[in-house]
């Protein structure tokens, strides 16, 4: 599992080639857990299994099985631990591999509340391992890696598969609550270039404050409905058109939320507009920092991952557009279907060989 | 004030009760021309060029035919002093709130007498909005200039012409403002302008700049988003809220995720992982202050990060920040500085500018004044007419301001200097040269002492100013105004020592000279200098003869002692002026007795004598100090010996008056007189082995990075290999630690007991510093 600032990501490998003998030996608690996880798609009010991401007939440690992807909010971790206690996780004689900051923060809680010992792993190591693994095992179904073709032309913009066979060097941008930007040169040679605190958490946090919403889905739904141009001050609002002297197009945002300094405009703006402006601000900023890092590191391929991008086509298209436009086609924005789960997958791969 | 006539006046009715004091704001409008205006979101900056008529004291050799009309009672003074009117150029910059723009335009219209100006250059986002009003009021055509071009032009101008323009901000240091040396080459640099958005501009040369990037997250985001989150309307109030808040209540920190630091990456627990991250996970209420603080951090960090990425990509280390988000706000200067330090690990420093708010107006003005070639001249900040950093308190609310009968404004005045100023070519490292020995901004004890000292001396200065113009109109009244102005400056500096850059003894002296000039006391010491010069000349031959009779060794020592004794005569130092005023018989010989016996406080005399036994220097550059005994009985016998040895001599003296320092025009006359008596000097002059040049300054101190261009040429052409700097102002208060690329001699008598004590000596201690740069020493050995 990957315990982030906002979400806990859990991946579970369900062996499908269990022999009758094995089933005999299995403790009841294991069966009950497997049943619980695989027979539900929602857990409590906030836990969700992303069924569409499930990978079947995977071979791991010589076993064939299915990989499940589950998430729940980090603030529900105590409930999860209580469930773990009730379902006797600790009796399973297996290690729980955990990464993300929560692996460190909640280590004691795992021990005291659920009698579980964690194998703590570095989140960036796990992230890269997870990306490379998932890409290598997905061979059928929807492509794991994709990009948006013609990002600057809304009419022709469409999702296309991308071949990531020869991935290095690569800029890996992980957008969770905050953002980390990694330059990856080979399987085990990478560095964290920089990061920014303006990430998914900022989008949701600001949206909650500005619109009174409480979930990412709500915020995103509002953003989809809204219009940011009445909230932001555009170049054309200042110069009447393009600022030709510096090659700035009139549609470019000159000042995010810049129109909100004026009371009349504050009064006439809708929640949807504010949500949209927040999304655009955060997304463009990530695009801009990413572009500078790509230039400084001399890397042309950028892979965006992280749960901020979940069901967030708006941001993905914006990132594609921004990278393409401001780099004059030099940079390519790539995305991965299992966007938020790579850390957890990487952690799973560290599991000491169970056989 | 003009009576109202327009229909659009009602909106500013509150401001009508305000009367503008013409002596204080929009000065010298009578001859103003070349207007420029920069109207921002809340502040207007007006610029104009004007000429100032003020009195200067001129000296002139007596023309014997004219003598009939001037009855001199005390024999024959060697020159006459006349006070003449002189016209010099000055740039005026005034900053005030947009609310007062109409009042100001009316005032300008009423006071603008004879101008041939037809257009006003305008820039800034608000220029468009006020175009009609300006055209109607001033009958000037508004001519719009590109904002960024103006900004860069203005930035280049202040960086080149104003020493200590740029500073580093350190909130928790002893002095918050650490001013930077003026770098001889200001290019290339990065300017990050944080207005409603952010523009990142790379400037490579005077007219070569490029907007290399920007960001939409800027001052407008702080203001707009801040207004939405806190229902607080004004930018300043938002900043105040932010300064009281705790961002950790709203932001998700690394320790909120990790429980502590993320050690393997070196991310500390207090680092912000996700701005506003906590407002997403809980549904509690957040305070306005906390949200404003979180927003401020988010935006400052983001801008700092982008600035660093651009600086790195373009390999630039000088990064200046400006725009309304910064504009003198300690809160934002602090957060930006913090961010830059964090992202560059201290490799790049965030630099701010004292006159940042004026850049656009200066640039627009320069665009309009291109035919006057303003960039061909050197300009100097006039301390008397400039308000200084942070002069307008943002705390004062508009109602209070209205009650006080006037409104806050800030001014910058710059004088066009007659001479173009450059570095002394003999500075070992012009980039690290700092003229001043003690930075009073940092040295609190020294600051208190000197501020007290200057305050104490004020009565005497006022008295002397009056005495120098007994028969001039309103001398007493003007002197009183001078007293008020200078006292006010001293009080300001007590509270804001950073107001004009680093506070130094030099800046205190210069400010006093500027204030004296302001009230038409161009040369309070002119008569005293004249009297002293007359008196000293009578002894010249006697001194020279007595020296000639001595053995070589004795002669060298006597000449050096004479130089030092002459330097005791200094009206600038309080201890000496006391003695001189109470006992006029205090003479040259007695001064020698006052001198400290060897070994002196700093004593390199033996090394100097050893050097004199070697081959003569090619050319000596001598920065002279006082009139009278100092120059005539001290300096001349000394350089006479150098000339005889075969060394050429260049005497560098002040271009304009300061205290009792000998000016270039006085020195011309003195030298002629001495040449008439002394064949050695006569021949040297005739053969051009003795040259007189002006140093380009009117200060009792000496800034070797701002010297007359002609002097620099002479120094280079003559192959100067010895620099002599004399006197407390030039060799102790300034240049004591200056490193030169040739041999140098710094000598002075410490005539201030506090300073003497600080240096480990007593009053009348002698400093005789002879320095040879290491590379020259090596060649010799």
């Amino acid at each position: 599992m990957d315990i982030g600032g906002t979400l806990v990501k859990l991946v579970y490998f369900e062996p499908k080639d269990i022999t009758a003998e094995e089933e005999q030996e299995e403790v009841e608690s294991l069966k009950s857990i497997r049943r619980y996880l695989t027979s539900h798609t929602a857990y409590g009010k906030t836990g969700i299994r992303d069924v569409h991401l499930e990978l079947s007939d995977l071979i791991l440690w010589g076993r064939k099985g299915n990989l499940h992807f589950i998430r729940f909010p980090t603030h529900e971790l105590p409930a999860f631990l209580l469930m773990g206690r009730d379902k006797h996780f600790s009796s399973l004689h297996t290690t729980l591999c955990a990464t993300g900051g929560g692996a460190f923060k909640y280590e004691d809680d795992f021990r005291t509340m659920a009698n579980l010992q964690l194998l703590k792993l570095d989140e960036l190591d796990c992230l890269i391992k997870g990306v490379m693994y998932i890409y290598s095992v997905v061979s059928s179904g929807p492509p794991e890696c994709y990009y948006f073709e013609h990002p600057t032309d809304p009419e022709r913009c469409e999702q296309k598969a991308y071949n990531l066979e020869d991935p290095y060097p690569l800029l890996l941008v992980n957008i969770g609550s905050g953002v980390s930007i990694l330059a990856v040169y080979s399987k085990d040679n990478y560095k964290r270039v920089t990061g920014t605190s303006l990430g998914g958490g900022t989008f949701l946090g600001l949206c909650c404050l500005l619109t009174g919403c409480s979930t990412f889905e709500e915020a995103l739904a509002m953003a989809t409905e809204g219009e940011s141009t009445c909230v932001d001050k555009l170049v054309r609002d200042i110069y009447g058109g393009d600022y030709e002297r510096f090659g700035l197009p009139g549609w470019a945002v000159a000042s995010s939320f810049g129109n909100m300094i004026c009371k009349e405009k504050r009064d006439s703006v809708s929640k949807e507009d504010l949500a949209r402006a927040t999304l655009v601000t955060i997304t463009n900023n990530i695009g801009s920092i990413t572009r500078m890092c790509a230039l400084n590191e001399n890397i042309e391929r950028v892979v965006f991952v992280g749960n901020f991008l979940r069901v967030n086509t708006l941001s993905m298209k914006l990132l594609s557009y921004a990278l393409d436009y401001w780099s004059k086609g030099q940079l390519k924005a790539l995305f991965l279907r299992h966007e938020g789960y790579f850390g957890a997958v990487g952690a799973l791969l560290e599991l000491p060989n169970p056989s | 004030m003009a009576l109202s006539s327009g229909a659009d006046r009602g909106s500013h009715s509150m401001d009508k009760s305000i009367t503008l004091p013409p002596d204080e704001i929009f000065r010298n409008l009578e001859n103003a021309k070349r207007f420029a205006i920069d109207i921002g979101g809340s502040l207007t900056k007006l610029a104009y060029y004007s000429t100032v008529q003020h009195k200067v004291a001129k000296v002139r050799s007596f023309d014997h035919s004219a003598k009939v009309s001037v009855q001199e009672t005390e024999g024959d003074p060697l020159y006459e002093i006349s006070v003449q009117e002189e016209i010099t150029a000055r740039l005026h910059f005034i900053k005030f709130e947009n609310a007062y723009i109409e009042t100001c335009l009316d005032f300008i219209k009423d006071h603008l007498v004879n101008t041939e100006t037809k257009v006003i250059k305008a820039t800034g986002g608000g220029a468009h909005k006020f175009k009609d009003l300006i055209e109607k009021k001033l009958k000037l055509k508004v001519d719009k200039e590109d904002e960024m071009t103006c900004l860069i032009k203005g930035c280049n101008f202040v960086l080149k012409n104003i020493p200590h323009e740029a500073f580093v901000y350190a909130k928790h240091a002893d002095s918050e403002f650490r001013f930077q040396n003026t770098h001889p080459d200001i290019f290339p640099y990065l300017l990050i302008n944080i207005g409603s958005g952010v523009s990142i501009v790379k400037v490579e040369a005077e007219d070569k700049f490029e907007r290399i990037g920007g960001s939409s997250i800027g001052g407008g985001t702080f203001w707009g988003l801040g207004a939405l989150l806190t229902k607080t309307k004004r930018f300043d109030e938002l900043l105040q809220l932010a300064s009281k808040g705790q961002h950790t209540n709203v932001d998700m920190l690394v320790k909120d995720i990790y429980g502590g630091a993320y050690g393997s990456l070196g991310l500390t627990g207090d680092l912000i992982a996700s701005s506003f991250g906590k407002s997403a996970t809980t549904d509690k209420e957040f305070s306005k202050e906390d949200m404003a603080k979180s927003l401020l951090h988010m935006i400052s960090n983001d801008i700092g990060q982008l600035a660093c990425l651009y600086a790195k990509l373009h390999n630039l280390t000088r990064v200046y920040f400006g725009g309304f988000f910064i504009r003198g706000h300690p809160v934002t200067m602090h957060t930006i500085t913090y961010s830059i330090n964090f992202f560059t690990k201290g490799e790049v420093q965030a630099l701010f500018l004292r006159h940042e708010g004026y850049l656009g107006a200066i640039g627009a003005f320069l665009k309009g004044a291109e035919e006057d070639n303003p960039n061909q001249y050197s300009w100097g900040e006039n301390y008397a007419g400039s308000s200084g950093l942070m002069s307008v308190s943002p705390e004062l609310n508009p109602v209070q301001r209205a009650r006080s009968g006037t409104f806050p404004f800030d001014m910058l005045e710059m004088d066009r200097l007659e001479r173009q100023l450059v570095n002394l070519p003999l500075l070992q490292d012009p980039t690290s040269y700092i003229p001043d020995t003690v930075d009073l901004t940092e040295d609190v004890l020294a600051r208190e002492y000197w501020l007290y000292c200057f305050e104490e001396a004020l009565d005497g200065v006022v008295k002397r100013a009056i005495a120098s113009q007994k028969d001039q109109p309103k001398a007493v009244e003007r002197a009183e105004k001078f007293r008020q102005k200078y006292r006010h400056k001293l009080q300001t500096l007590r509270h804001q020592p950073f107001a004009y850059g680093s506070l130094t003894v030099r800046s205190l002296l210069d400010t006093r000279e500027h204030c004296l000039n302001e009230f038409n006391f161009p040369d309070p010491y002119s008569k005293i200098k004249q009297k002293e010069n007359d008196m000293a000349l009578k002894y010249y031959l006697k001194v020279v003869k007595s020296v000639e009779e001595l053995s070589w060794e004795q002669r060298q020592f006597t000449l050096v002692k004479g130089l030092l004794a002459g330097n005791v005569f200094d009206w600038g130092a309080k201890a000496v002026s006391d003695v001189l005023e109470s006992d006029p018989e205090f003479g040259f010989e007695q001064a020698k007795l006052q001198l400290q016996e060897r070994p002196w406080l700093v004593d390199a005399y033996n090394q100097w004598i050893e050097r004199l036994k070697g081959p003569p220097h090619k050319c000596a550059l001598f920065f002279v100090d006082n009139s009278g005994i100092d120059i005539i009985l001290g300096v001349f016998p000394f350089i006479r010996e150098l000339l005889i040895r075969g060394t050429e001599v260049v005497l560098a003296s002040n271009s304009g008056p300061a205290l009792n320092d000998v000016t270039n025009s006085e020195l011309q006359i003195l030298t002629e007189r001495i040449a008439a008596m002394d064949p050695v000097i006569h021949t040297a002059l005739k053969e051009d082995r003795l040259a007189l040049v002006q140093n380009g300054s009117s200060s009792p101190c000496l800034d070797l990075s701002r010297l007359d261009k002609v002097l620099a040429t002479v120094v280079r052409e003559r192959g100067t290999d010895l620099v002599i700097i004399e006197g407390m102002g030039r060799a102790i208060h300034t240049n004591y630690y200056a490193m030169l690329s040739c041999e140098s001699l710094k000598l002075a008598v410490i005539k201030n007991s506090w300073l003497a004590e600080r240096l480990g000596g007593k009053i009348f201690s002698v400093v005789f510093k002879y320095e040879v740069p290491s590379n020259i020493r090596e060649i010799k050995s």
Side-chain angles (χ1 to χ4, degrees):
Chain A
M1 66 199 301
D2 174 4
I3 310 166
T6 312
L7 285 175
V8 177
K9 283 76 65 176
L10 185 79
V11 294
Y12 167 62
F13 182 68
E14 174 206 5
K16 290 299 245 183
D17 52 359
I18 300 173
T19 58
E21 268 168 44
E22 282 174 325
E23 195 156 356
Q24 284 279 307
E25 283 171 27
E26 265 185 356
V27 288
E28 194 47 41
S29 58
L30 181 57
K31 282 182 194 145
S32 127
I33 291 164
R34 186 163 68 231
R35 256 198 317 274
Y36 176 70
L37 290 177
T38 54
S39 62
H40 293 77
T41 57
Y43 314 92
K45 281 190 187 128
T46 49
I48 284 168
R49 181 153 63 88
D50 283 311
V51 182
H52 66 288
L53 294 179
E54 183 179 330
L55 296 174
S56 20
D57 301 334
L58 220 60
I59 308 285
L60 254 178
W61 307 291
R63 303 298 300 258
K64 194 173 185 177
N66 296 347
L67 201 55
H68 299 278
F69 299 88
I70 298 164
R71 62 185 150 90
F72 59 88
T74 304
H75 62 81
E76 297 287 358
L77 192 69
F80 173 83
L81 291 178
L82 289 178
M83 185 193 75
R85 186 191 62 191
D86 297 343
K87 291 192 183 294
H88 305 290
F89 273 17
S90 56
S91 65
L92 297 183
H93 303 294
T94 182
T95 318
L96 189 49
C97 295
T99 186
F104 298 82
K105 186 179 177 185
Y106 300 108
E107 189 187 10
D108 285 349
D109 295 338
F110 272 87
R111 205 178 46 240
T112 55
M113 292 173 73
N115 193 24
L116 281 169
Q117 197 65 41
L118 292 184
L119 175 61
K120 303 194 298 291
L121 297 157
D122 179 80
E123 62 172 294
L124 300 182
D125 290 343
C126 290
L127 177 69
I128 292 168
K129 278 210 177 76
V131 167
M132 295 313 156
Y133 175 76
I134 294 291
Y135 185 79
S136 70
V137 297
V138 173
S139 50
S140 58
E144 180 64 24
C145 183
Y146 59 95
Y147 70 103
F148 289 88
E149 201 178 40
H150 309 299
T152 51
D153 182 355
E155 303 281 300
R156 294 160 65 211
C157 177
E158 61 176 323
Q159 204 170 315
K160 280 268 170 87
Y162 186 84
N163 184 344
L164 202 60
E165 285 298 303
D166 180 18
Y168 310 110
L170 178 80
L171 208 62
L172 185 59
V173 182
N174 185 31
I175 318 175
S177 313
V179 182
S180 274
I181 302 180
L182 318 177
V184 189
Y185 300 102
S186 73
K187 196 162 75 59
D188 30 38
N189 177 17
Y190 76 89
K191 66 171 180 187
R192 183 179 187 272
V193 181
T194 188
T196 164
S197 69
L198 284 83
T202 315
F203 164 65
L204 184 53
L206 280 174
C207 274
C208 293
L209 292 172
L210 293 171
T211 70
C213 73
S214 57
T215 67
F216 181 70
E217 288 73 12
E218 261 182 274
L220 212 52
M222 276 197 282
T224 314
E225 296 302 309
E227 185 61 60
S228 62
T229 50
C230 47
V231 179
D232 295 338
K233 190 173 268 176
L234 306 186
V235 168
R236 66 164 178 260
D237 295 334
I238 302 175
Y239 296 97
D242 298 347
Y243 190 2
E244 281 164 23
R245 173 90 175 67
F246 296 117
L248 288 177
W251 53 259
V253 183
S255 173
S256 297
F257 288 85
N259 278 338
M260 296 295 95
I261 66 171
C262 159
K263 188 174 185 311
E264 295 79 59
K265 288 186 178 161
R266 277 202 298 278
D267 292 343
S268 69
V269 83
S270 73
K271 287 180 174 184
E272 287 76 13
D273 295 342
L274 292 172
R276 178 64 165 246
T278 309
L279 187 80
V280 170
T281 303
I282 301 294
T283 306
N284 276 339
N285 190 60
I286 294 169
S288 168
I289 292 173
T290 300
R291 188 173 67 87
M292 289 309 296
C293 291
L295 282 172
N296 271 323
E297 301 301 322
N298 204 15
I299 296 176
E300 288 180 357
R301 253 181 324 196
V302 184
V303 175
F304 291 95
V305 295
N307 267 323
F308 174 66
L309 299 173
R310 196 173 58 78
V311 295
N312 187 357
T313 317
L314 216 52
S315 285
M316 289 193 275
K317 284 190 175 170
L318 260 173
L319 285 170
S320 304
Y321 185 117
L323 247 54
D324 184 89
Y325 182 87
W326 296 109
S327 74
K328 301 188 173 71
Q330 280 291 304
L331 296 176
K332 201 169 210 70
L334 306 172
F335 304 94
L336 298 173
R337 266 189 88 229
H338 288 83
E339 57 235 339
Y341 285 105
F342 298 109
V345 171
L348 178 73
L349 296 173
E350 292 300 312
L351 190 72
N353 196 331
S355 58
Chain B
M1 300 303 312
L3 288 170
S4 74
S5 55
D8 56 336
R9 309 207 55 166
S11 56
H12 303 303
S13 57
M14 188 180 78
D15 313 329
K16 290 300 127 189
S17 59
I18 288 168
T19 44
L20 299 183
D23 292 343
E24 289 171 33
I25 187 172
F26 303 122
R27 309 189 321 150
N28 302 310
L29 266 178
E30 300 76 28
N31 306 305
K33 57 175 188 171
R34 305 211 189 289
F35 283 84
I37 196 162
D38 173 11
I39 308 178
S42 56
L43 293 174
T44 296
K45 283 77 67 174
L46 187 85
Y48 55 93
Y49 168 99
S50 187
T51 49
V52 197
Q53 194 173 35
H54 57 97
K55 294 193 163 50
V56 286
K58 293 264 179 192
V59 293
R60 188 172 65 171
S61 272
F62 261 119
D63 176 356
H64 286 271
S65 62
K67 219 179 129 186
V68 202
S69 59
V70 193
Q71 275 305 323
E72 285 294 339
T73 45
E74 299 171 1
D76 264 2
L78 75 153
Y79 58 80
E80 70 174 330
I81 306 162
S82 62
V83 174
Q84 293 173 12
E85 296 287 339
E86 197 179 68
I87 291 176
T88 54
R90 186 175 289 178
L91 303 185
H92 293 263
F93 303 96
I94 302 101
K95 180 161 73 181
F96 51 87
E97 282 182 31
N98 288 356
Y100 306 103
I101 196 163
E102 205 179 340
T103 313
C104 291
L105 291 175
D106 282 332
F107 184 88
I108 294 166
K109 184 184 68 186
D110 294 346
H111 289 79
L112 194 58
V113 195
N114 44 9
T115 180
E116 67 270 37
T117 304
K118 296 277 183 290
V119 295
I120 178 165
K121 290 282 179 188
T123 186
H128 184 74
K129 194 170 141 197
F130 290 98
K131 181 172 181 280
D132 291 344
L133 185 71
I134 297 168
E135 294 198 332
K136 198 181 82 193
K137 293 277 181 196
L138 297 185
K139 311 268 183 290
L140 296 177
K141 194 179 151 300
V142 170
D143 195 357
K144 256 207 104 175
E145 288 290 340
D146 175 69
E147 217 174 322
M148 198 60 74
T149 311
C150 292
L151 207 59
I152 302 298
K153 263 192 174 306
C155 193
N156 292 340
F157 186 80
V158 295
L159 285 175
K160 266 191 296 194
N161 288 290
I162 306 187
H164 291 171
E165 175 61 32
F167 61 88
V168 167
Y169 185 78
K171 191 183 173 190
H172 301 295
D174 284 344
S175 62
E176 293 163 74
F177 302 85
R178 265 184 284 135
F179 295 96
Q180 306 291 298
N181 272 332
T182 316
H183 202 278
D185 188 9
I186 62 170
F187 305 109
Y189 66 86
L190 209 56
L191 179 68
I192 319 277
N193 192 53
I194 315 174
S196 40
V198 181
S199 283
I200 300 175
V201 187
K202 176 181 172 183
V203 187
E204 286 176 286
E206 188 59 47
D207 288 308
K208 193 177 175 212
F209 66 91
E210 186 192 353
R211 185 188 189 277
I212 54 172
S215 167
S216 68
I217 300 184
T221 315
F222 177 71
W223 193 350
L225 201 44
L228 286 167
L229 291 171
T230 68
K231 315 281 178 246
T232 302
K233 293 179 196 103
R234 291 187 49 218
F235 178 73
D236 289 358
E237 287 171 30
L238 275 168
L239 278 183
Q240 275 186 22
L241 276 185
S243 60
K244 288 181 230 148
Q246 269 298 339
H247 73 100
T248 51
N249 294 335
V250 183
D251 290 342
M252 188 184 284
L253 308 184
V254 167
K255 68 178 172 207
D256 292 321
I257 303 175
Y258 272 82
Y262 184 175
S264 60
L265 287 182
L267 304 178
T268 61
D270 287 326
L271 202 68
I272 304 171
S274 176
S275 295
F276 287 90
K278 277 183 190 155
S279 61
T281 51
T282 46
D283 42 11
K284 61 168 186 176
E285 289 282 304
F286 295 92
S287 83
K288 291 178 178 187
E289 288 81 2
D290 294 350
M291 288 189 288
K293 180 64 171 258
S294 173
L295 187 60
L296 176 67
H297 277 304
M298 174 179 111
I299 289 167
S300 300
N301 287 339
D302 192 54
I303 295 169
Q305 178 171 29
L306 276 172
C308 294
L309 287 166
Y310 279 99
K312 188 178 170 203
L313 187 65
H314 293 265
N315 201 16
L316 297 168
T317 51
R318 270 176 285 180
V319 183
Y320 300 98
F321 286 85
F324 80 77
F325 186 69
I326 297 294
R327 203 139 301 161
H329 298 296
V331 196
T332 53
M333 288 196 286
H334 174 62
T335 51
I336 288 285
T337 301
Y338 179 88
S339 169
I340 294 288
N341 282 341
F342 173 79
F343 285 109
T344 69
K345 299 183 178 72
E347 277 173 36
V348 172
Q349 285 190 314
L351 295 167
F352 305 96
L353 301 169
R354 278 202 287 143
H355 299 100
E356 189 278 320
Y358 286 110
L359 301 186
I362 295 174
F365 169 81
L366 292 172
K367 280 293 268 185
E370 266 160 6
E371 57 193 82
D372 291 337
N373 286 321
N375 271 325
Q376 266 185 14
Y377 296 94
S378 286
W379 298 80
E381 180 180 13
N382 187 307
Y383 295 136
S386 301
S387 318
L389 191 62
M390 323 253 323
S391 72
V392 181
S393 165
E395 315 292 325
L396 214 60
N397 70 46
V399 182
Q400 280 174 318
R401 284 170 191 167
R403 260 193 231 125
S404 71
T406 179
F407 61 82
F409 55 87
D410 184 278
M411 301 199 302
L412 165 65
E413 293 186 2
M414 298 201 54
D415 288 319
R416 191 174 78 193
L417 308 177
E418 278 173 47
R419 327 279 302 183
Q420 217 181 330
L421 305 182
V422 297
N423 271 310
L424 179 70
L426 297 169
L427 280 177
Q428 213 172 66
D429 176 19
T431 57
S432 66
Y433 168 73
I434 300 170
D436 306 285
T437 307
V438 179
D439 183 346
L440 303 181
T441 339
E442 287 178 5
D443 190 332
V444 182
L445 281 179
R447 176 166 80 230
E448 278 168 8
Y449 170 75
W450 286 110
L451 284 171
Y452 165 80
C453 199
F454 276 86
E455 186 120 31
E456 279 291 288
L458 192 50
D459 277 342
V461 178
V462 170
K463 241 187 261 168
R464 195 152 309 113
I466 297 171
S468 73
Q469 294 191 7
K470 271 188 218 119
D471 38 1
Q472 297 283 327
K474 294 186 176 170
V476 178
E477 204 183 314
R478 281 186 287 118
E480 203 46 51
K481 279 186 181 168
F482 154 74
R483 183 210 300 276
Q484 277 170 24
K485 181 135 203 171
Y486 190 57
R487 177 168 291 159
H488 180 72
K489 293 276 167 193
L490 290 176
Q491 275 158 3
T492 306
L493 288 167
R494 212 178 277 281
H495 298 113
Q496 296 165 329
F498 48 78
Y500 299 94
S502 287
L503 184 67
T504 59
V505 174
R506 176 169 63 109
S507 72
L508 285 168
L509 284 163
D510 289 353
T511 306
R512 191 165 73 187
E513 296 298 327
H514 291 178
C515 289
L516 279 167
N517 276 322
E518 186 68 39
F519 297 101
N520 273 319
F521 294 107
D523 193 358
Y525 289 86
S526 56
K527 298 224 169 84
I528 293 170
K529 288 189 286 182
Q530 184 192 38
K531 206 169 122 193
E532 279 185 29
N533 286 336
D534 277 345
M535 195 184 75
L537 270 177
K538 293 184 182 124
Y539 290 96
Y540 176 74
L541 282 181
K542 205 173 141 193
V543 169
V544 167
K545 271 213 187 76
S546 71
V547 167
E548 273 181 336
E549 287 161 5
L550 301 170
S551 70
W552 187 87
E553 295 263 358
Q554 277 181 318
R555 189 163 73 236
Q556 302 313 317
F557 188 59
T558 307
L559 285 169
V560 166
K561 261 183 90 170
L563 205 50
L564 293 165
N567 199 246
V568 173
F569 290 85
D570 181 352
W571 285 81
K574 199 172 171 297
V576 178
S577 54
D578 285 351
V579 179
L580 273 176
E581 262 174 292
S582 60
D583 180 11
E585 293 299 312
F586 185 80
F588 189 48
E589 293 307 316
Q590 277 154 303
K592 281 189 195 169
L593 296 176
Q594 294 271 9
L595 288 182
Q596 182 190 17
E597 288 292 325
R598 284 195 65 200
W600 293 320
L601 186 56
V602 176
D603 195 334
Y605 181 74
N606 292 345
Q607 289 92 310
W608 171 244
I609 287 303
E610 280 312 304
R611 172 64 187 87
L612 283 187
K613 289 176 185 161
H617 295 93
K618 180 157 186 339
C619 174
L621 170 66
F622 198 128
F623 288 98
V624 299
D625 190 8
N626 308 312
S627 298
I629 293 172
D630 188 356
I631 181 79
I632 297 167
L633 304 183
V635 175
F636 265 96
F638 182 87
I639 60 145
R640 187 178 185 273
E641 181 78 9
L642 287 178
L643 288 165
I644 293 169
R645 270 170 65 79
T647 302
E648 287 181 27
V649 175
V650 177
L651 291 180
S653 53
N654 268 7
S655 300
L659 297 176
N660 66 331
D661 291 0
V662 64
T663 64
N664 185 251
S665 43
E666 287 161 353
L667 190 57
Q668 300 275 359
I669 297 168
L670 293 181
T671 309
E672 269 172 43
R673 270 308 169 94
I674 292 171
M677 296 188 270
D678 183 349
V680 176
I681 301 297
H682 180 82
T683 318
L685 270 180
K686 218 173 79 183
E687 291 172 355
D688 195 30
R689 289 191 299 111
L690 171 61
L692 309 178
V693 293
Q694 48 183 307
N695 61 18
S697 146
S698 307
S699 166
C701 294
L702 181 65
D703 179 352
L704 295 176
S705 67
R706 279 167 75 83
L707 287 178
D708 194 313
K709 203 174 177 181
V710 176
L711 185 149
T713 314
V714 170
V715 161
R716 216 178 278 121
E717 282 173 357
R718 295 194 178 224
T720 304
D721 53 358
L722 173 66
V723 173
I724 305 170
I725 308 178
E726 185 208 7
M728 271 210 324
R730 293 176 181 78
I732 306 290
H733 291 316
T734 53
N735 300 310
Y736 191 67
Y737 299 117
M739 306 281 279
L740 298 168
S741 59
C742 66
E743 291 170 56
S744 67
L745 208 50
K746 295 166 189 166
L747 38 95
V749 181
I750 314 290
K751 287 156 288 186
N752 172 299
S753 46
W754 183 88
L755 185 63
E757 224 166 272
R758 257 226 166 180
L759 295 169
K762 279 189 267 184
I763 190 151
F764 298 120
S765 288
V766 169
V767 169
F768 190 93
K769 208 175 180 186
Y770 169 62
E771 290 164 307
V772 184
S774 53
N775 56 330
I776 294 182
R777 239 182 352 245
E778 276 156 28
I779 293 167
K780 281 196 180 130
S781 62

